[in-house]
Short mmCIF file of all heavy atoms in Angstrom, two decimals:
data_model
loop_
_atom_site.label_atom_id
_atom_site.label_comp_id
_atom_site.label_asym_id
_atom_site.label_seq_id
_atom_site.Cartn_x
_atom_site.Cartn_y
_atom_site.Cartn_z
N LEU A 1 0.82 -1.21 0.00
CA LEU A 1 0.00 0.00 0.00
C LEU A 1 0.85 1.26 0.00
O LEU A 1 0.38 2.33 -0.38
CB LEU A 1 -0.92 0.01 1.23
CG LEU A 1 -1.99 -1.08 1.30
CD1 LEU A 1 -2.72 -1.00 2.64
CD2 LEU A 1 -2.97 -0.95 0.15
N LEU A 2 2.10 1.14 0.47
CA LEU A 2 2.98 2.29 0.63
C LEU A 2 4.17 2.20 -0.31
O LEU A 2 4.65 1.11 -0.62
CB LEU A 2 3.49 2.35 2.07
CG LEU A 2 2.45 2.58 3.16
CD1 LEU A 2 3.06 2.36 4.53
CD2 LEU A 2 1.85 3.97 3.06
N THR A 3 4.65 3.36 -0.72
CA THR A 3 5.87 3.40 -1.51
C THR A 3 7.08 3.32 -0.58
O THR A 3 6.98 3.58 0.62
CB THR A 3 5.96 4.68 -2.34
OG1 THR A 3 6.08 5.80 -1.42
CG2 THR A 3 4.71 4.86 -3.20
N ASP A 4 8.22 2.99 -1.15
CA ASP A 4 9.45 2.98 -0.36
C ASP A 4 9.72 4.36 0.23
O ASP A 4 10.22 4.48 1.36
CB ASP A 4 10.64 2.55 -1.22
CG ASP A 4 10.57 1.08 -1.62
OD1 ASP A 4 9.81 0.32 -1.00
OD2 ASP A 4 11.29 0.70 -2.56
N GLU A 5 9.38 5.40 -0.53
CA GLU A 5 9.61 6.78 -0.06
C GLU A 5 8.74 7.10 1.15
O GLU A 5 9.19 7.77 2.09
CB GLU A 5 9.34 7.77 -1.19
CG GLU A 5 10.34 7.74 -2.33
CD GLU A 5 10.15 6.55 -3.25
OE1 GLU A 5 9.08 5.92 -3.23
OE2 GLU A 5 11.11 6.24 -4.01
N GLN A 6 7.51 6.62 1.15
CA GLN A 6 6.63 6.87 2.29
C GLN A 6 7.12 6.14 3.54
O GLN A 6 7.11 6.70 4.64
CB GLN A 6 5.20 6.42 1.95
CG GLN A 6 4.49 7.35 0.98
CD GLN A 6 3.13 6.80 0.58
OE1 GLN A 6 3.00 5.61 0.24
NE2 GLN A 6 2.12 7.65 0.59
N VAL A 7 7.55 4.90 3.38
CA VAL A 7 8.07 4.15 4.52
C VAL A 7 9.32 4.83 5.07
O VAL A 7 9.48 4.97 6.29
CB VAL A 7 8.36 2.69 4.13
CG1 VAL A 7 9.04 1.95 5.27
CG2 VAL A 7 7.07 1.98 3.73
N GLU A 8 10.20 5.27 4.17
CA GLU A 8 11.42 5.94 4.62
C GLU A 8 11.10 7.25 5.33
O GLU A 8 11.74 7.61 6.33
CB GLU A 8 12.35 6.19 3.44
CG GLU A 8 13.69 6.80 3.81
CD GLU A 8 14.43 5.99 4.86
OE1 GLU A 8 14.38 4.75 4.80
OE2 GLU A 8 15.07 6.62 5.74
N ALA A 9 10.10 7.98 4.84
CA ALA A 9 9.69 9.22 5.49
C ALA A 9 9.18 8.94 6.90
O ALA A 9 9.47 9.70 7.84
CB ALA A 9 8.63 9.93 4.67
N TYR A 10 8.44 7.85 7.06
CA TYR A 10 7.95 7.49 8.40
C TYR A 10 9.11 7.17 9.33
O TYR A 10 9.15 7.63 10.47
CB TYR A 10 7.01 6.29 8.30
CG TYR A 10 6.54 5.80 9.65
CD1 TYR A 10 5.46 6.40 10.29
CD2 TYR A 10 7.18 4.73 10.29
CE1 TYR A 10 5.04 5.97 11.54
CE2 TYR A 10 6.75 4.29 11.53
CZ TYR A 10 5.68 4.91 12.15
OH TYR A 10 5.28 4.48 13.38
N HIS A 11 10.08 6.40 8.83
CA HIS A 11 11.23 6.05 9.67
C HIS A 11 12.05 7.29 10.02
O HIS A 11 12.58 7.40 11.14
CB HIS A 11 12.12 5.05 8.93
CG HIS A 11 11.48 3.71 8.79
ND1 HIS A 11 11.87 2.79 7.84
CD2 HIS A 11 10.45 3.12 9.47
CE1 HIS A 11 11.13 1.70 7.94
NE2 HIS A 11 10.27 1.88 8.92
N ARG A 12 12.13 8.24 9.11
CA ARG A 12 12.91 9.47 9.34
C ARG A 12 12.20 10.40 10.31
O ARG A 12 12.81 10.95 11.24
CB ARG A 12 13.14 10.17 8.01
CG ARG A 12 13.95 11.48 8.13
CD ARG A 12 13.94 12.23 6.81
NE ARG A 12 12.62 12.74 6.47
CZ ARG A 12 11.98 12.47 5.32
NH1 ARG A 12 12.53 11.70 4.39
NH2 ARG A 12 10.78 12.97 5.11
N ASP A 13 10.90 10.60 10.10
CA ASP A 13 10.16 11.63 10.82
C ASP A 13 9.39 11.10 12.04
O ASP A 13 8.98 11.88 12.90
CB ASP A 13 9.16 12.32 9.88
CG ASP A 13 9.85 13.01 8.72
OD1 ASP A 13 11.02 13.40 8.86
OD2 ASP A 13 9.21 13.16 7.66
N GLY A 14 9.12 9.80 12.05
CA GLY A 14 8.29 9.25 13.11
C GLY A 14 6.82 9.49 12.91
O GLY A 14 6.02 9.28 13.83
N LEU A 15 6.43 9.87 11.71
CA LEU A 15 5.02 10.13 11.40
C LEU A 15 4.80 10.11 9.89
O LEU A 15 5.75 10.28 9.11
CB LEU A 15 4.59 11.48 11.96
CG LEU A 15 5.27 12.71 11.36
CD1 LEU A 15 4.35 13.42 10.36
CD2 LEU A 15 5.68 13.69 12.46
N LEU A 16 3.56 9.87 9.50
CA LEU A 16 3.20 9.87 8.09
C LEU A 16 1.72 10.19 7.96
O LEU A 16 0.88 9.56 8.60
CB LEU A 16 3.48 8.49 7.47
CG LEU A 16 3.26 8.35 5.97
CD1 LEU A 16 4.26 9.19 5.18
CD2 LEU A 16 3.34 6.88 5.55
N VAL A 17 1.39 11.20 7.15
CA VAL A 17 0.01 11.57 6.86
C VAL A 17 -0.43 10.82 5.60
O VAL A 17 0.24 10.88 4.57
CB VAL A 17 -0.15 13.09 6.66
CG1 VAL A 17 -1.59 13.44 6.31
CG2 VAL A 17 0.32 13.85 7.89
N LEU A 18 -1.54 10.11 5.68
CA LEU A 18 -2.07 9.35 4.56
C LEU A 18 -3.52 9.74 4.31
O LEU A 18 -4.28 9.97 5.25
CB LEU A 18 -1.98 7.85 4.83
CG LEU A 18 -0.57 7.27 4.94
CD1 LEU A 18 -0.64 5.82 5.41
CD2 LEU A 18 0.15 7.36 3.60
N ARG A 19 -3.87 9.80 3.06
CA ARG A 19 -5.23 10.20 2.67
C ARG A 19 -6.08 8.98 2.32
O ARG A 19 -5.59 8.03 1.71
CB ARG A 19 -5.16 11.13 1.45
CG ARG A 19 -4.28 12.36 1.65
CD ARG A 19 -4.83 13.29 2.71
NE ARG A 19 -3.99 14.49 2.89
CZ ARG A 19 -4.25 15.45 3.77
NH1 ARG A 19 -5.33 15.35 4.54
NH2 ARG A 19 -3.45 16.49 3.88
N GLY A 20 -7.35 9.03 2.70
CA GLY A 20 -8.30 8.01 2.29
C GLY A 20 -7.97 6.62 2.77
O GLY A 20 -8.19 5.64 2.06
N VAL A 21 -7.47 6.51 4.00
CA VAL A 21 -7.14 5.20 4.56
C VAL A 21 -8.41 4.37 4.76
O VAL A 21 -8.42 3.17 4.54
CB VAL A 21 -6.36 5.37 5.87
CG1 VAL A 21 -6.29 4.08 6.66
CG2 VAL A 21 -4.95 5.88 5.58
N LEU A 22 -9.48 5.02 5.18
CA LEU A 22 -10.78 4.36 5.28
C LEU A 22 -11.65 4.74 4.10
O LEU A 22 -11.63 5.89 3.65
CB LEU A 22 -11.50 4.75 6.57
CG LEU A 22 -10.86 4.38 7.91
CD1 LEU A 22 -11.81 4.74 9.06
CD2 LEU A 22 -10.49 2.91 7.98
N THR A 23 -12.42 3.79 3.60
CA THR A 23 -13.40 4.07 2.56
C THR A 23 -14.57 4.85 3.17
O THR A 23 -14.73 4.88 4.41
CB THR A 23 -13.94 2.78 1.96
OG1 THR A 23 -14.69 2.07 2.96
CG2 THR A 23 -12.80 1.88 1.45
N PRO A 24 -15.42 5.48 2.36
CA PRO A 24 -16.60 6.16 2.93
C PRO A 24 -17.46 5.23 3.77
O PRO A 24 -18.00 5.64 4.81
CB PRO A 24 -17.35 6.65 1.69
CG PRO A 24 -16.26 6.87 0.67
CD PRO A 24 -15.28 5.76 0.91
N GLU A 25 -17.59 3.98 3.35
CA GLU A 25 -18.39 3.02 4.12
C GLU A 25 -17.72 2.74 5.47
O GLU A 25 -18.40 2.62 6.50
CB GLU A 25 -18.56 1.72 3.33
CG GLU A 25 -19.40 1.84 2.08
CD GLU A 25 -18.66 2.50 0.91
OE1 GLU A 25 -17.40 2.59 0.96
OE2 GLU A 25 -19.35 2.93 -0.04
N GLU A 26 -16.40 2.66 5.47
CA GLU A 26 -15.69 2.42 6.72
C GLU A 26 -15.72 3.63 7.64
O GLU A 26 -15.76 3.49 8.87
CB GLU A 26 -14.25 2.00 6.42
CG GLU A 26 -14.15 0.59 5.83
CD GLU A 26 -12.76 0.27 5.34
OE1 GLU A 26 -12.00 1.20 4.98
OE2 GLU A 26 -12.42 -0.93 5.28
N VAL A 27 -15.71 4.83 7.05
CA VAL A 27 -15.85 6.03 7.86
C VAL A 27 -17.19 6.00 8.60
O VAL A 27 -17.27 6.33 9.80
CB VAL A 27 -15.73 7.30 7.00
CG1 VAL A 27 -16.14 8.54 7.80
CG2 VAL A 27 -14.31 7.47 6.48
N GLU A 28 -18.24 5.58 7.90
CA GLU A 28 -19.54 5.49 8.55
C GLU A 28 -19.53 4.44 9.66
O GLU A 28 -20.13 4.63 10.73
CB GLU A 28 -20.62 5.14 7.53
CG GLU A 28 -22.04 5.23 8.06
CD GLU A 28 -22.36 6.59 8.70
OE1 GLU A 28 -21.91 7.63 8.19
OE2 GLU A 28 -23.06 6.58 9.74
N LEU A 29 -18.83 3.32 9.44
CA LEU A 29 -18.69 2.32 10.50
C LEU A 29 -17.98 2.92 11.72
O LEU A 29 -18.37 2.67 12.87
CB LEU A 29 -17.88 1.13 9.99
CG LEU A 29 -18.60 0.02 9.23
CD1 LEU A 29 -17.59 -1.04 8.81
CD2 LEU A 29 -19.70 -0.60 10.07
N ALA A 30 -16.93 3.70 11.46
CA ALA A 30 -16.20 4.34 12.56
C ALA A 30 -17.10 5.30 13.32
O ALA A 30 -17.07 5.35 14.57
CB ALA A 30 -14.97 5.05 12.03
N ARG A 31 -17.92 6.06 12.59
CA ARG A 31 -18.86 6.97 13.28
C ARG A 31 -19.82 6.19 14.16
O ARG A 31 -20.10 6.56 15.29
CB ARG A 31 -19.63 7.78 12.24
CG ARG A 31 -18.78 8.84 11.51
CD ARG A 31 -19.63 9.60 10.52
NE ARG A 31 -18.84 10.60 9.81
CZ ARG A 31 -18.88 10.79 8.49
NH1 ARG A 31 -19.68 10.05 7.74
NH2 ARG A 31 -18.13 11.71 7.94
N GLU A 32 -20.34 5.08 13.61
CA GLU A 32 -21.26 4.26 14.39
C GLU A 32 -20.58 3.72 15.64
O GLU A 32 -21.17 3.70 16.73
CB GLU A 32 -21.77 3.09 13.53
CG GLU A 32 -22.66 3.51 12.37
CD GLU A 32 -22.98 2.34 11.45
OE1 GLU A 32 -22.57 1.18 11.78
OE2 GLU A 32 -23.61 2.56 10.40
N GLY A 33 -19.33 3.28 15.49
CA GLY A 33 -18.61 2.75 16.63
C GLY A 33 -18.36 3.80 17.69
O GLY A 33 -18.51 3.54 18.89
N ILE A 34 -17.97 5.00 17.26
CA ILE A 34 -17.73 6.08 18.21
C ILE A 34 -19.02 6.47 18.93
O ILE A 34 -19.04 6.70 20.15
CB ILE A 34 -17.10 7.29 17.50
CG1 ILE A 34 -15.67 6.94 17.05
CG2 ILE A 34 -17.08 8.52 18.41
CD1 ILE A 34 -15.05 7.98 16.14
N GLU A 35 -20.12 6.55 18.18
CA GLU A 35 -21.39 6.89 18.81
C GLU A 35 -21.81 5.82 19.81
O GLU A 35 -22.38 6.14 20.87
CB GLU A 35 -22.48 7.08 17.74
CG GLU A 35 -22.28 8.33 16.89
CD GLU A 35 -22.15 9.59 17.75
OE1 GLU A 35 -23.03 9.81 18.61
OE2 GLU A 35 -21.16 10.33 17.58
N ALA A 36 -21.52 4.55 19.53
CA ALA A 36 -21.83 3.48 20.49
C ALA A 36 -21.01 3.66 21.76
O ALA A 36 -21.51 3.45 22.87
CB ALA A 36 -21.55 2.12 19.85
N VAL A 37 -19.76 4.07 21.62
CA VAL A 37 -18.91 4.33 22.78
C VAL A 37 -19.49 5.47 23.61
O VAL A 37 -19.54 5.41 24.85
CB VAL A 37 -17.48 4.65 22.33
CG1 VAL A 37 -16.66 5.24 23.48
CG2 VAL A 37 -16.80 3.40 21.77
N LEU A 38 -19.95 6.54 22.94
CA LEU A 38 -20.48 7.69 23.66
C LEU A 38 -21.81 7.38 24.34
O LEU A 38 -22.12 7.93 25.40
CB LEU A 38 -20.64 8.87 22.69
CG LEU A 38 -19.35 9.45 22.11
CD1 LEU A 38 -19.67 10.55 21.11
CD2 LEU A 38 -18.42 9.97 23.21
N ARG A 39 -22.59 6.49 23.74
CA ARG A 39 -23.89 6.14 24.33
C ARG A 39 -23.74 5.32 25.60
O ARG A 39 -24.51 5.46 26.54
CB ARG A 39 -24.74 5.34 23.32
CG ARG A 39 -25.43 6.15 22.27
CD ARG A 39 -26.54 5.35 21.61
NE ARG A 39 -26.06 4.07 21.10
CZ ARG A 39 -25.55 3.89 19.88
NH1 ARG A 39 -25.45 4.91 19.05
NH2 ARG A 39 -25.16 2.69 19.49
N GLU A 40 -22.75 4.45 25.61
CA GLU A 40 -22.58 3.53 26.73
C GLU A 40 -21.14 3.59 27.21
O GLU A 40 -20.24 3.00 26.60
CB GLU A 40 -22.95 2.11 26.32
CG GLU A 40 -22.96 1.15 27.49
CD GLU A 40 -23.53 -0.21 27.11
OE1 GLU A 40 -24.23 -0.30 26.08
OE2 GLU A 40 -23.29 -1.17 27.85
N SER A 41 -20.90 4.29 28.28
CA SER A 41 -19.55 4.46 28.80
C SER A 41 -18.96 3.12 29.21
O SER A 41 -19.66 2.21 29.67
CB SER A 41 -19.56 5.39 30.02
OG SER A 41 -19.99 6.68 29.65
N GLY A 42 -17.64 3.01 29.04
CA GLY A 42 -16.93 1.81 29.47
C GLY A 42 -16.24 2.05 30.80
O GLY A 42 -16.32 3.12 31.40
N MET A 43 -15.54 1.02 31.27
CA MET A 43 -14.83 1.11 32.54
C MET A 43 -13.70 2.13 32.50
O MET A 43 -13.27 2.63 33.54
CB MET A 43 -14.27 -0.27 32.91
CG MET A 43 -15.33 -1.31 33.19
SD MET A 43 -16.29 -0.96 34.68
CE MET A 43 -15.03 -1.20 35.94
N LEU A 44 -13.21 2.45 31.30
CA LEU A 44 -12.06 3.34 31.17
C LEU A 44 -12.43 4.71 30.60
O LEU A 44 -11.57 5.52 30.32
CB LEU A 44 -10.99 2.69 30.28
CG LEU A 44 -10.47 1.33 30.77
CD1 LEU A 44 -9.47 0.75 29.78
CD2 LEU A 44 -9.85 1.46 32.16
#
């Protein structure tokens, strides 16, 4: 998924910004998951 240049940038900088890691459908799943967390608090 990554180019050699991106991996090297991560190793050099300790960070990497990537676009579109989640699909729109997965973004909606993440929203649903976060809302479930907010509705029902956990032990932590």
Side-chain angles (χ1 to χ4, degrees):
L1 295 175
L2 296 169
T3 66
D4 291 343
E5 290 76 17
Q6 287 174 314
V7 174
E8 183 55 38
Y10 176 83
H11 291 159
R12 180 190 68 236
D13 299 333
L15 65 102
L16 185 66
V17 178
L18 294 172
R19 304 295 181 181
V21 166
L22 297 185
T23 66
E25 293 77 16
E26 289 171 334
V27 169
E28 189 54 39
L29 276 179
R31 290 180 180 134
E32 293 172 5
I34 292 170
E35 290 306 308
V37 167
L38 294 177
R39 281 197 306 272
E40 187 171 342
S41 297
M43 294 293 292
L44 302 177

